[in-house]
């Protein structure tokens, strides 16, 4: 997303990205608070079903947008991919600390960069390749295979980031023909539909507390994406993206203070490497003004 000189407001952009990051961290903490009282699959479905209420203001645009069979196919495919990403993310939240979930989610834009080169024909310059290698080193520092056990939660987060990147790339194809707000709205609809059979298979009557917590998750997720949009309207990704490092700090503090998780300096170090690599890619594209390329942007997209 480009920002004209007239609307270039770096401080406002950083503030809104700060607010977005805080919203996303609160969202993950709320999911973590559910613990294992509910299946991650059912929790994911209820979160998206409750989130449909936020589509009401866009209902007219959704209904009036002409969709071809190709659009419907892409929407359906994106819904399925994103649904699996959401289920894996909810599962990971029950298995590994908040800080590790946050740090590993930073890999999503790295996968997006690779996918854009492989499937969209975008150039992969040496600097991008070097940044990707740095990000992979960051993942290795977080996981430390052979030194500690790599759990199913870690594998779930790797799958989450990979599938979210696929969803992002499909969105880029769709926004060529369809307004972004409609693409976002359809994501919620199709993900909810894709989750229905999985939720039925594990369904147990939720408590009122669980429903209330998941509604708050939907609220904070929606607020986070809205604040992120305001941030990108005010300043380029290269300016706002470094602010997302605070998500890792907050997640680490919340995990330690609220959920009594140990502070792992290696996770912070690895997450910092990944975010630095992604921020470098965004900065280079801004310097070269290659607006046609897919600029990496960090957000849970959940």
């Amino acid at each position: 997303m480009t920002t004209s000189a007239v609307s270039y407001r770096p401080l406002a952009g950083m503030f809104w990205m700060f607010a977005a990051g805080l919203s996303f961290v609160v969202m993950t903490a709320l999911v973590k608070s559910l613990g294992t009282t509910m299946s991650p699959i059912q929790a994911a479905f209820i979160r998206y079903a409750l989130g449909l209420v936020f589509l009401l203001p866009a209902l007219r645009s959704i209904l009036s947008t002409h969709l071809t069979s190709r659009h419907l196919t892409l929407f359906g495919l994106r819904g399925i991919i994103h649904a699996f990403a959401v289920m894996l993310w909810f599962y990971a939240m029950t298995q590994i600390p908040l800080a590790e979930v946050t740090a590993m989610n930073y890999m999503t834009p790295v996968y997006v960069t690779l996918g854009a080169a492989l499937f969209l024909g975008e150039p992969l310059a040496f600097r991008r390749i070097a940044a990707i290698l740095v990000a992979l080193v960051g993942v290795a520092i977080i996981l430390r295979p052979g030194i500690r056990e790599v759990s199913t939660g870690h594998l779930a987060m790797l799958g989450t980031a990979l599938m979210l990147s696929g969803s992002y790339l499909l969105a880029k194809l769709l926004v060529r023909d369809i307004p972004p707000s409609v693409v976002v709205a359809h994501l919620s609809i199709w993900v909810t539909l894709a989750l229905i059979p999985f939720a039925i298979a594990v369904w147990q009557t939720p408590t009122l507390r669980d429903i209330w917590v998941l509604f708050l998750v939907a609220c904070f997720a929606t607020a986070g994406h809205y604040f992120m949009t305001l941030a990108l309207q005010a300043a380029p990704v290269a300016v706002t993206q470094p602010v997302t490092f605070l998500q890792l700090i907050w997640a680490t503090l919340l995990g330690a203070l609220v959920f009594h998780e140990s502070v792992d300096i290696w996770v912070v170090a690895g997450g910092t490497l990944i975010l630095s690599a992604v921020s470098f890619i965004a900065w280079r594209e801004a310097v070269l003004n290659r607006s046609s390329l897919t600029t990496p942007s960090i957000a849970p997209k959940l």
Side-chain angles (χ1 to χ4, degrees):
M1 184 179 296
T2 59
T3 305
S4 66
V6 176
S7 62
Y8 181 67
R9 295 172 293 128
L11 290 179
M14 288 188 286
F15 170 78
W16 288 120
M17 190 58 79
F18 174 90
L22 185 59
S23 297
F24 289 138
V25 170
V26 172
M27 175 192 75
T28 55
L30 286 169
V31 173
K32 188 78 172 178
S33 72
L34 290 172
T36 56
T37 60
M38 179 188 298
S39 165
I41 296 173
Q42 183 176 339
F45 168 73
I46 294 176
R47 172 263 179 269
Y48 264 87
L50 293 174
L52 292 178
V53 68
F54 298 108
L55 301 185
L56 293 177
L59 190 59
R60 179 175 297 179
S61 297
I62 297 171
L63 296 176
S64 62
T65 301
H66 174 69
L67 299 178
T68 65
S69 58
R70 174 180 174 274
H71 294 148
L72 292 173
T73 300
L74 290 176
F75 275 132
L77 178 61
R78 189 186 183 210
I80 293 171
I81 291 174
H82 207 96
F84 276 98
V86 172
M87 287 188 286
L88 287 172
W89 184 79
F90 270 78
Y91 172 76
M93 289 296 300
T94 68
Q95 302 297 314
I96 59 178
L98 271 177
E100 296 189 25
V101 170
T102 303
M104 294 186 69
N105 188 65
Y106 287 166
M107 278 301 293
T108 298
V110 176
Y111 292 146
V112 168
T113 300
L114 282 172
L118 293 173
F119 302 112
L120 301 183
E122 294 185 3
L124 195 60
F126 172 77
R127 289 182 178 86
R128 276 195 165 202
I129 296 174
I132 289 170
L133 292 176
V134 170
L136 292 176
V137 171
V139 173
I141 291 174
I142 294 171
L143 296 179
R144 304 191 297 285
I147 298 176
R148 70 164 184 170
E149 179 185 2
V150 177
S151 71
T152 55
H154 295 117
L155 297 178
M157 272 311 301
L158 288 173
T160 297
L162 183 61
M163 291 185 181
L164 285 179
S165 68
S167 173
Y168 187 98
L169 291 171
L170 287 171
K172 182 165 185 177
L173 292 176
L174 286 162
V175 295
R176 293 174 179 177
D177 307 319
I178 301 171
S181 59
V182 177
V183 173
V184 171
H186 270 277
L187 176 65
S188 295
I189 295 170
W190 288 89
V191 170
T192 303
L193 292 174
L195 287 171
I196 288 175
F198 299 99
I200 291 175
V202 298
W203 188 265
Q204 292 182 347
T205 304
T207 65
L208 289 177
R209 175 191 175 276
D210 290 340
I211 293 176
W212 173 242
V213 169
L214 288 168
F215 178 70
L216 287 177
V217 169
C219 291
F220 278 102
T222 302
H225 287 292
Y226 177 67
F227 293 149
M228 188 177 65
T229 300
L230 294 178
L232 297 178
Q233 287 175 346
V237 174
V239 173
T240 60
Q241 189 130 268
V243 180
T244 59
F245 173 73
L246 293 174
Q247 291 183 35
L248 183 55
I249 301 299
W250 293 329
T252 302
L253 290 175
L254 268 177
L257 297 176
V258 179
F259 300 104
H260 309 293
E261 297 170 347
S262 60
V263 177
D264 191 336
I265 192 64
W266 294 107
V267 172
V268 177
T272 302
L273 266 185
I274 298 170
L275 179 57
S276 299
V278 174
S279 298
F280 174 77
I281 294 173
W283 173 76
R284 281 295 301 172
E285 303 312 337
V287 168
L288 298 174
N289 196 27
R290 295 193 290 192
S291 58
S292 62
L293 295 184
T294 304
T295 304
S297 179
I298 293 175
K301 300 174 183 68
L302 299 161

